[in-house]
Amino acid sequence: MIFLRQYCAIFVWSVFGIPIECLVQVEIACPGFVDTRRGDGALGFSAPAFEAAVEESNHRYSGILNFSAVFLSEEERTQALDGAVLPGDACVELVAHWYYTQRRFPSDGVSIIMGTGQADWTRLHELAANWNTLYFQTVSYVRSGYRLPAAPVLSTGPVSLLAVGQTFVNLLQFYRWRTVYLVSDLDSPGVFNGLARQLDDLSGADSFNFTVFRRVIKARSLERSREPYGVLLDDFCKISRVMVFFGRANFVRRMLIDAWTRNMTNGEYVYLSWGSADARRHDKFGNFSWSYDDHHDEIARRAFGSLLVIQQLEPVRNERSLSALASLLAQLRQRVRKLFNISYTEREQPREEVVASYASIILLAQNLASTSIYRHDAPQLAQRFLNRTFSGEFDDIYFDGSGMRRRQTAVLHLSERAEQLEMFLLESTDGNSELQEVRNISRDWPGNSWPPRNEPLCGYNNERAVCQKLVLGSFIAELTVSCLGCVLLVGTFTGHRLLRIHRIQYETGWVLEHQHLRIRPILLTSACHLSSASANIHGEASVCDTHAEA
Ligand SMILES: *[C@@H]1O[C@H](CO)[C@@H](O)[C@H](O)[C@H]1NC(C)=O
Ligand SMILES: *[C@@H]1O[C@H](CO)[C@@H](O)[C@H](O)[C@H]1NC(C)=O
Ligand SMILES: *[C@@H]1O[C@H](CO)[C@@H](O)[C@H](O)[C@H]1NC(C)=O
Ligand SMILES: *[C@@H]1O[C@H](CO)[C@@H](O)[C@H](O)[C@H]1NC(C)=O
Ligand SMILES: *[C@@H]1O[C@H](CO)[C@@H](O)[C@H](O)[C@H]1NC(C)=O
Ligand SMILES: *[C@@H]1O[C@H](CO)[C@@H](O)[C@H](O)[C@H]1NC(C)=O
Ligand SMILES: *[C@@H]1O[C@H](CO)[C@@H](O)[C@H](O)[C@H]1NC(C)=O
């Protein structure tokens, strides 16, 4: 440190020929909202962490760097404006106001923007680019739409929708699953909907030629009926074999139970979902366990064999670092009382988000202290973060080449032996994010047909040329069954017509409401039983093939 300080002084001496005080003032603006009920991205959670990190950095680099952070709270500004509602992008207004009127060292200080919840990434990035300052985003960053040359956004948040979405794309590519049935549930936390949008965007931009059928549901109103996901599954089995379900774990479990009763967990179908590795801390994402101690447990256990879950691995912390973290978190809960006169419990405190906020300023300090020439040049400064791992007190943070933090991500599958989800693919974090197999699940996969095909061998309607001979051979047998089925069919025909019209109307992006379900489950059940009877005769045919054309 003494060395650095001398180096700095010598540098100033030799360039300007004048000895000046070499203390660099670093001013950090943290826009956001304080109210912790609005989300994990609240300043109520991150502000005390920023404050503690500023104090820690000032202590570590005293005499070289002097940090200060200001919290630009939406609520305070609204009060100052006498309750007048701020425009949608309040953060942008607040930051601009700070930049032009509130900074104490506007000419020679270093300015930094530290985005929290509800930041408008693109507009903040645009401002940062214009001012040549660095912009960090500590929660929920997707991707800035700002395209002119600028320092990248450095995103340090623990859950990156973009990174998780990319893992889904990698997984789909890995097994050549191109036809994706994407379900997002509006009754689950917002992160699921964000993930669905992200995957939709990524798959659209990918050269792999995905076909995505996106459906929006409201799981809570669906689950009031007897077979809540019947209509959804019926729609799914006609157009795809790969379902990505973004919703709480308990909804996924219920959907799988319905799938089991329709023989849609026979290994031909694969269901993908996302969850948190730490269910205890993330109640709102649900518990990815088949065992809920209800009468569905046994079916759920078998149905779970068709499920793959993507999870980010929790950081491994030793005893010492855990106790240091616990005391930091307790100290931050003390601080927030003084800062905003609010309080919350340890359970309510989003641990990883808080650690990320703290680490962002510690990293910044580390980097600013180790360079003296690039402090005012944001693109150069940002380069020093890319493709690097920073070992922190509580966590290692790795930034990829685009400035986004990557965490190790795994794909899990139910292990027959252990009866719980276990990792079988691991995504490397060294920049190319390849999936590596760490366990062979061929034996555990239902029907021993791992990996399932993107499409049924005979096509969704048994129409493929390869299967025509087979169809002809069993034609007579089928005829007999069909005749038996005729009586039933006539009965269901009218209902089917209605259903079909309805489905065309809602081809994309429909919302399944409870009232739509009143007549259908009964109709569909009888239709599917019939078709599974003929599927048995075909041998090759999939369960719900014939009834689509009935
Ligand atoms: C450090 O920054 C704070 C906040 O801007 C300021 O009040 C203080 O005077 C600075 N300290 C030094 C030694 O410049
Ligand atoms: C994707 O589709 C386009 C045209 O639809 C085709 O030219 C291209 O080869 C396809 N790419 C792959 C990887 O299949
Ligand atoms: C999740 O379910 C498993 C199995 O029932 C149970 O052991 C575990 O405690 C549950 N976790 C939470 C947070 O409820
Ligand atoms: C802090 O909040 C409590 C209620 O939440 C209130 O009674 C008290 O007056 C507040 N204190 C200050 C200093 O604003
Ligand atoms: C980061 O790594 C990627 C891929 O390995 C590379 O293309 C890029 O140039 C690297 N960026 C920096 C700043 O080193
Ligand atoms: C996984 O195991 C199956 C048999 O259990 C075997 O046929 C297959 O080749 C294995 N896959 C890999 C990648 O080792
Ligand atoms: C379920 O599907 C499998 C594979 O297609 C088939 O072999 C089996 O007979 C089906 N079971 C029922 C009850 O339809």
Side-chain angles (χ1 to χ4, degrees):
M1 242 149 268
I2 290 159
F3 164 75
L4 276 173
R5 195 173 174 184
Q6 279 172 350
Y7 172 76
C8 177
I10 291 162
F11 173 75
V12 171
W13 255 106
S14 56
V15 173
F16 303 106
I18 36 162
I20 55 166
E21 181 53 59
C22 209
L23 184 67
V24 178
Q25 305 287 347
V26 186
E27 294 179 82
I28 306 170
C30 316
F33 53 89
V34 171
D35 190 351
T36 50
R37 286 165 305 185
R38 280 175 64 186
D40 290 351
L43 275 177
F45 292 124
S46 53
F50 291 141
E51 205 185 59
V54 160
E55 278 175 22
E56 173 65 24
S57 304
N58 281 344
H59 173 69
R60 277 191 208 172
Y61 306 104
S62 83
I64 306 167
L65 302 167
N66 181 32
F67 288 88
S68 60
V70 291
F71 308 121
L72 310 171
S73 102
E74 221 175 272
E75 289 99 333
E76 210 171 280
R77 180 106 168 108
T78 312
Q79 267 168 17
L81 291 174
D82 254 354
V85 182
L86 277 180
D89 40 14
C91 283
V92 179
E93 297 263 314
L94 289 168
V95 170
H97 185 254
W98 162 80
Y99 188 83
Y100 291 114
T101 67
Q102 285 178 291
R103 288 182 306 151
R104 301 183 54 178
F105 308 95
S107 53
D108 54 354
V110 175
S111 305
I112 305 284
I113 302 172
M114 194 66 68
T116 61
Q118 281 226 328
D120 181 336
W121 309 299
T122 301
R123 306 248 341 253
L124 282 181
H125 193 200
E126 194 178 337
L127 290 182
N130 274 309
W131 300 330
N132 194 18
T133 62
L134 267 194
Y135 166 31
F136 286 81
Q137 181 64 36
T138 60
V139 275
S140 74
Y141 172 66
V142 174
R143 182 178 272 164
S144 155
Y146 185 69
R147 285 286 163 265
L148 286 178
V153 180
L154 297 169
S155 118
T156 53
V159 178
S160 155
L161 298 186
L162 186 58
V164 175
Q166 191 60 56
T167 307
F168 272 93
V169 170
N170 289 349
L171 178 64
L172 293 168
Q173 284 187 343
F174 196 71
Y175 293 112
R176 316 200 138 268
W177 293 325
R178 293 160 188 272
T179 316
V180 181
Y181 193 82
L182 177 60
V183 180
S184 67
D185 170 35
L186 297 183
D187 286 340
S188 297
V191 62
F192 289 104
N193 214 10
L195 278 170
R197 240 176 294 130
Q198 191 60 45
L199 181 58
D200 209 2
D201 286 354
L202 283 173
S203 58
D206 200 278
S207 58
F208 192 63
N209 289 357
F210 288 101
T211 309
V212 177
F213 299 96
R214 184 157 174 205
R215 303 292 186 249
V216 180
I217 60 166
K218 288 187 170 171
R220 213 163 286 139
S221 47
L222 283 182
E223 292 206 352
R224 283 192 216 117
S225 65
R226 198 175 56 82
E227 200 185 5
Y229 298 96
V231 176
L232 189 77
L233 288 164
D234 196 56
D235 182 44
F236 164 54
C237 75
K238 282 196 211 116
I239 48 179
S240 169
R241 287 293 175 266
V242 183
M243 182 192 286
V244 179
F245 191 108
F246 284 123
R248 275 183 60 109
N250 54 319
F251 298 144
V252 175
R253 178 178 177 272
R254 190 67 186 79
M255 186 273 297
L256 284 171
I257 289 164
D258 281 0
W260 187 86
T261 58
R262 312 182 138 245
N263 200 19
M264 283 170 73
T265 53
N266 58 9
E268 277 179 40
Y269 300 81
V270 58
Y271 303 86
L272 315 179
S273 195
W274 173 83
S276 161
D278 195 346
R280 205 167 41 80
R281 286 204 162 266
H282 295 112
D283 264 354
K284 56 180 188 279
F285 299 149
N287 188 354
F288 262 115
S289 161
W290 52 264
S291 137
Y292 277 27
D293 271 336
D294 61 14
H295 63 281
H296 290 308
D297 271 1
E298 191 44 41
I299 291 179
R301 191 179 66 80
R302 291 192 231 164
F304 259 53
S306 297
L307 173 71
L308 306 181
V309 178
I310 289 183
Q311 273 181 1
Q312 288 179 307
L313 300 187
E314 290 292 303
V316 183
R317 300 190 171 109
N318 59 25
E319 285 290 307
R320 228 188 68 221
S321 127
L322 273 176
S323 73
L325 179 56
S327 79
L328 174 73
L329 291 173
Q331 185 213 328
L332 299 184
R333 290 196 299 278
Q334 290 286 321
R335 260 177 205 276
V336 82
R337 271 173 225 253
K338 279 201 218 115
L339 257 176
F340 303 123
N341 190 26
I342 54 172
S343 62
Y344 38 79
T345 63
E346 196 229 333
R347 207 178 143 76
E348 289 161 342
Q349 201 173 15
R351 188 168 72 178
E352 301 309 325
E353 278 77 5
V354 172
V355 169
S357 303
Y358 182 81
S360 300
I361 289 184
I362 299 287
L363 290 185
L364 171 70
Q366 226 180 61
N367 241 332
L368 282 174
S370 64
T371 175
S372 55
I373 29 180
Y374 293 136
R375 281 171 187 156
H376 294 277
D377 185 348
Q380 290 287 348
L381 196 54
Q383 288 294 311
R384 304 173 59 88
F385 288 88
L386 306 185
N387 293 342
R388 269 184 70 183
T389 303
F390 293 85
S391 307
E393 203 178 340
F394 309 112
D395 221 347
D396 288 349
I397 292 190
Y398 169 76
F399 291 97
D400 68 8
S402 71
M404 191 172 60
R405 176 180 177 188
R406 301 295 287 234
R407 280 172 65 190
Q408 267 225 312
T409 306
V411 187
L412 287 74
H413 179 252
L414 185 76
S415 151
E416 272 304 320
R417 197 171 27 81
E419 300 209 333
Q420 61 187 23
L421 294 173
E422 277 184 7
M423 178 171 24
F424 80 99
L425 288 176
L426 191 60
E427 190 180 58
S428 59
T429 47
D430 59 1
N432 62 13
S433 39
E434 260 173 33
L435 291 170
Q436 274 141 12
E437 196 176 74
V438 292
R439 184 163 70 88
N440 186 344
I441 63 165
S442 295
R443 279 173 198 285
D444 288 345
W445 189 256
N448 294 319
S449 55
W450 176 256
R453 294 166 174 279
N454 180 52
E455 280 183 6
L457 190 63
C458 297
Y460 296 107
N461 299 316
N462 216 18
E463 77 281 11
R464 291 261 170 87
V466 260
C467 303
Q468 286 311 304
K469 251 188 250 156
L470 219 135
V471 173
L472 210 66
S474 59
F475 179 69
I476 296 165
E478 196 199 18
L479 205 65
T480 326
V481 176
S482 299
C483 278
L484 284 172
C486 267
V487 187
L488 259 175
L489 264 181
V490 169
T492 52
F493 184 74
T494 333
H496 264 280
R497 296 299 300 184
L498 282 172
L499 216 87
R500 205 97 45 95
I501 293 161
H502 179 82
R503 201 165 288 133
I504 289 161
Q505 277 171 352
Y506 290 90
E507 197 57 53
T508 47
W510 39 255
V511 179
L512 274 180
E513 296 283 6
H514 184 235
Q515 70 267 23
H516 294 148
L517 285 158
R518 248 176 253 152
I519 48 164
R520 264 173 273 159
I522 306 147
L523 284 173
L524 291 172
T525 322
S526 59
C528 250
H529 281 170
L530 191 72
S531 60
S532 52
S534 64
N536 280 341
I537 291 158
H538 283 306
E540 281 292 338
S542 56
V543 187
C544 48
D545 46 7
T546 39
H547 95 273
E549 294 311 297

PDB file of all heavy atoms in Angstrom, residues 178 207-209, ligand 2:
ATOM      1  N   ARG A 178     -35.104 -29.328 -30.467  1.00  0.00           N
ATOM      2  CA  ARG A 178     -35.341 -28.067 -31.159  1.00  0.00           C
ATOM      3  C   ARG A 178     -36.762 -27.549 -31.002  1.00  0.00           C
ATOM      4  O   ARG A 178     -37.032 -26.378 -31.207  1.00  0.00           O
ATOM      5  CB  ARG A 178     -35.144 -28.228 -32.666  1.00  0.00           C
ATOM      6  CG  ARG A 178     -33.749 -28.499 -33.090  1.00  0.00           C
ATOM      7  CD  ARG A 178     -33.788 -29.111 -34.487  1.00  0.00           C
ATOM      8  NE  ARG A 178     -32.486 -29.570 -34.858  1.00  0.00           N
ATOM      9  CZ  ARG A 178     -31.603 -28.795 -35.459  1.00  0.00           C
ATOM     10  NH1 ARG A 178     -31.897 -27.581 -35.791  1.00  0.00           N
ATOM     11  NH2 ARG A 178     -30.417 -29.265 -35.734  1.00  0.00           N
ATOM     12  N   SER A 207     -28.767 -19.651 -33.730  1.00  0.00           N
ATOM     13  CA  SER A 207     -28.730 -20.187 -35.089  1.00  0.00           C
ATOM     14  C   SER A 207     -29.195 -21.643 -35.125  1.00  0.00           C
ATOM     15  O   SER A 207     -29.261 -22.263 -36.171  1.00  0.00           O
ATOM     16  CB  SER A 207     -27.307 -20.095 -35.630  1.00  0.00           C
ATOM     17  OG  SER A 207     -26.454 -20.799 -34.765  1.00  0.00           O
ATOM     18  N   PHE A 208     -29.506 -22.187 -33.956  1.00  0.00           N
ATOM     19  CA  PHE A 208     -29.850 -23.603 -33.849  1.00  0.00           C
ATOM     20  C   PHE A 208     -31.254 -23.904 -34.374  1.00  0.00           C
ATOM     21  O   PHE A 208     -31.655 -25.055 -34.470  1.00  0.00           O
ATOM     22  CB  PHE A 208     -29.729 -24.018 -32.383  1.00  0.00           C
ATOM     23  CG  PHE A 208     -29.779 -25.492 -32.137  1.00  0.00           C
ATOM     24  CD1 PHE A 208     -28.810 -26.329 -32.651  1.00  0.00           C
ATOM     25  CD2 PHE A 208     -30.787 -26.047 -31.379  1.00  0.00           C
ATOM     26  CE1 PHE A 208     -28.847 -27.684 -32.405  1.00  0.00           C
ATOM     27  CE2 PHE A 208     -30.835 -27.406 -31.127  1.00  0.00           C
ATOM     28  CZ  PHE A 208     -29.855 -28.225 -31.656  1.00  0.00           C
ATOM     29  N   ASN A 209     -31.999 -22.873 -34.730  1.00  0.00           N
ATOM     30  CA  ASN A 209     -33.355 -23.041 -35.284  1.00  0.00           C
ATOM     31  C   ASN A 209     -34.323 -23.700 -34.321  1.00  0.00           C
ATOM     32  O   ASN A 209     -34.874 -24.751 -34.593  1.00  0.00           O
ATOM     33  CB  ASN A 209     -33.323 -23.894 -36.568  1.00  0.00           C
ATOM     34  CG  ASN A 209     -32.695 -23.140 -37.705  1.00  0.00           C
ATOM     35  OD1 ASN A 209     -32.343 -21.982 -37.551  1.00  0.00           O
ATOM     36  ND2 ASN A 209     -32.578 -23.785 -38.835  1.00  0.00           N
TER      37      ASN A 209
HETATM   38  C1  LIG B   2     -31.799 -22.958 -39.849  1.00  0.00           C
HETATM   39  O1  LIG B   2     -32.793 -22.677 -40.833  1.00  0.00           O
HETATM   40  C2  LIG B   2     -32.303 -22.004 -41.971  1.00  0.00           C
HETATM   41  C3  LIG B   2     -33.457 -21.707 -42.909  1.00  0.00           C
HETATM   42  O2  LIG B   2     -34.668 -21.961 -42.300  1.00  0.00           O
HETATM   43  C4  LIG B   2     -31.255 -22.893 -42.677  1.00  0.00           C
HETATM   44  O3  LIG B   2     -30.712 -22.206 -43.768  1.00  0.00           O
HETATM   45  C5  LIG B   2     -30.143 -23.221 -41.689  1.00  0.00           C
HETATM   46  O4  LIG B   2     -29.242 -24.134 -42.276  1.00  0.00           O
HETATM   47  C6  LIG B   2     -30.714 -23.863 -40.431  1.00  0.00           C
HETATM   48  N1  LIG B   2     -29.645 -24.044 -39.459  1.00  0.00           N
HETATM   49  C7  LIG B   2     -29.457 -25.176 -38.801  1.00  0.00           C
HETATM   50  C8  LIG B   2     -28.322 -25.188 -37.842  1.00  0.00           C
HETATM   51  O5  LIG B   2     -30.175 -26.145 -38.949  1.00  0.00           O
END
